[in-house]
Amino acid sequence: MPEQSPLDPAEGDPFGPHHLPYGVFSTADEPGRRRLGVRIGGSVLDAGAAAHALGSPYAALLDRPNLNPLMAAGRTAWRDVRRALTAWVTVPAHRADIEPLLYPLHAVTLHLPYEVADYVDFYASEHHATNVGRIFRPDGLALPVNWKHLPIGYHGRAGTIVVSGTDVVRPSGQRKAPADPAPVFGPSVKLDIEAEVGFVVGAPSRQGGPVDLASFRDHVFGLCLLNDWSARDIQAWEYVPLGPFLGKSFATSVSAWVTPLEALDAARVRPPARTEDLLPYLDDTHDEEPGGFDLHLSVSLNGEVVSEPPFSTMYWTAAQQLAHMTVNGASLRTGDLFASGTVSGPAREQRGSLLELTWNGTEPLELQGGKRAFLEDGDEVTLTAWAPGPDGTRVGLGEVTGRIVPG
């Protein structure tokens, strides 16, 4: 019986030819050379080498060490390249050229697939924001008064975006509990996760020119899973009045794979009903294309699933976040990354942070390896997700894994 080709992944594989996410890899024999790759099943295709082998006009975009040139090329190029890649991995006549250019995933090293320009993190889950408000303001308003009028966000640190598999060093900083007479300095004792979805900007925009809701697909290349690690004790002491700073900027982990928006057409859903009238630049009431995504996230701590947050419950959509981020005239750059904020659903088992899951440490998780209020050194967190794909398939987002090491 002939050996199965890597171009024929098992039925139901969430990384089949209907998906084809982009990444960057290197091989053991050429560790210093980074190549743009496309994942199919358990293999990665050297996209640049494939383009040269088949005489493709897209070789100049694909034979690169990262995704930035392709992302900057714009929506028409994204669509055309995706169609070409689909043909390369599905048309039998191409197999003799393509199969030698496939590498098993276990035999390659994956890298951050794009150069990050800027990073913005939002706060788009009503369930998460309400939980946080109840924890920290039990006698006040759970949601800030502006929360349902605009997507709240902060400008993060692009230089500490790391690819899945990178260890996360426990941060140190100032912290002060309410009963403490003065702040102290030391390692964070409330180190947390935030299960999020990140959106990667491809085509830039001009400064002074806002990007409207209808232009979302013209600028956003794809999406990925993202874990915005958080030192809750450092954050609590520093964040008034200007917001997150050192409690967030030490590390943000992203997947090694970027899923093109086009691969998620079957996963588009309407966002939750809005309870406040929105200003025109955010009003998506009559948009033909639903702004939400039906993504099913899963959070594992040391191999044990602790939460399954649903992205479909997010109040603010990525298109609204992009519109708000640029409405003042701020420009987009290729490689900009903006994140959804913590994804949490209405049920306890759908909360996307330990802050919520343990109610700020007062209700520790009972795990096989012992109780957890917040992360301990040696803990490993993995985010995975899937979405409905075309014709009953599933699209799997690349996982995000990080292990806590002492500082």
Side-chain angles (χ1 to χ4, degrees):
M1 185 175 180
E3 182 179 351
Q4 182 175 355
S5 169
L7 292 174
D8 296 319
E11 184 176 357
D13 192 311
F15 294 95
H18 61 288
H19 184 182
L20 302 180
Y22 294 96
V24 167
F25 72 99
S26 60
T27 60
D29 59 332
E30 291 185 284
R33 179 188 171 200
R34 299 192 179 189
R35 319 180 197 189
L36 198 158
V38 174
R39 180 172 176 178
I40 179 164
S43 301
V44 56
L45 171 67
D46 184 334
H52 285 298
L54 296 174
S56 170
Y58 308 114
L61 295 178
L62 296 176
D63 190 10
R64 296 297 187 97
N66 60 50
L67 275 169
N68 288 60
L70 174 60
M71 295 196 304
R75 185 177 175 183
T76 298
W78 307 341
R79 180 196 60 206
D80 292 348
V81 168
R82 178 170 168 79
R83 288 177 179 172
L85 287 164
T86 302
W88 297 349
V89 301
T90 58
V91 175
H94 294 319
R95 290 206 165 196
D97 292 307
I98 294 298
E99 285 183 340
L101 306 177
L102 291 162
Y103 297 82
L105 279 175
H106 64 78
V108 303
T109 299
L110 299 175
H111 304 278
L112 188 64
Y114 44 88
E115 292 182 3
V116 182
D118 282 313
Y119 171 53
V120 173
D121 189 33
F122 283 96
Y123 194 46
S125 166
E126 181 177 2
H127 301 292
H128 171 68
T130 299
N131 287 336
V132 171
R134 287 172 177 167
I135 290 171
F136 291 117
R137 298 183 297 275
D139 300 321
L141 289 174
L143 287 177
V145 293
N146 62 350
W147 198 90
K148 289 196 172 182
H149 294 275
L150 57 85
I152 295 174
Y154 76 94
H155 194 207
R157 193 172 182 88
T160 50
I161 307 291
V162 297
V163 73
S164 174
T166 304
D167 286 345
V168 174
V169 178
R170 181 178 297 274
S172 291
Q174 289 192 31
R175 60 180 192 269
K176 180 184 178 300
D180 292 343
V184 298
F185 181 88
S188 171
V189 296
K190 287 189 173 183
L191 189 54
D192 198 0
I193 63 167
E194 289 190 343
E196 305 191 24
V197 175
F199 293 84
V200 186
V201 171
S205 66
R206 65 176 179 85
Q207 188 168 355
V211 176
D212 59 26
L213 293 172
S215 300
F216 174 74
R217 280 186 180 265
D218 294 330
H219 292 277
V220 174
F221 177 77
L223 56 79
C224 62
L225 287 178
L226 180 149
N227 185 351
D228 199 26
W229 307 88
S230 298
R232 300 297 184 185
D233 43 357
I234 296 174
Q235 181 183 356
W237 173 234
E238 73 178 0
Y239 86 107
V240 178
L242 293 182
F245 186 42
L246 300 183
K248 297 276 193 177
S249 62
F250 58 96
T252 299
S253 298
V254 295
S255 171
W257 301 103
V258 179
T259 294
L261 285 186
E262 196 173 347
L264 292 169
D265 285 347
R268 300 302 289 260
V269 293
R270 294 285 175 192
R274 309 293 164 63
T275 55
E276 298 285 346
D277 291 336
L278 298 178
L279 291 171
Y281 79 97
L282 292 172
D283 188 0
D284 60 357
T285 306
H286 303 295
D287 287 1
E288 293 184 7
E289 182 175 65
F293 290 90
D294 185 19
L295 310 178
H296 302 253
L297 279 66
S298 182
V299 181
S300 296
L301 176 54
N302 297 330
E304 188 172 345
V305 175
V306 296
S307 178
E308 294 184 315
F311 193 76
S312 60
T313 63
M314 300 296 276
Y315 191 88
W316 294 106
T317 69
Q320 289 171 319
Q321 291 166 347
L322 188 71
H324 186 65
M325 190 166 67
T326 60
V327 73
N328 68 341
S331 59
L332 298 174
R333 293 191 292 171
T334 299
D336 281 353
L337 176 67
F338 65 100
S340 62
T342 304
V343 183
S344 292
R348 177 174 182 174
E349 64 273 12
Q350 295 176 328
R351 298 171 182 172
S353 68
L354 293 176
L355 176 70
E356 299 167 86
L357 285 167
T358 71
W359 213 249
N360 200 21
T362 62
E363 303 171 9
L365 297 176
E366 297 282 352
L367 303 177
Q368 295 175 3
K371 291 185 178 182
R372 284 292 186 280
F374 291 95
L375 296 173
E376 298 182 4
D377 291 347
D379 283 349
E380 185 173 83
V381 178
T382 298
L383 310 182
T384 57
W386 65 272
D391 303 318
T393 59
R394 284 190 175 188
V395 173
L397 273 63
E399 71 172 35
V400 175
T401 295
R403 183 172 61 96
I404 306 301
V405 298

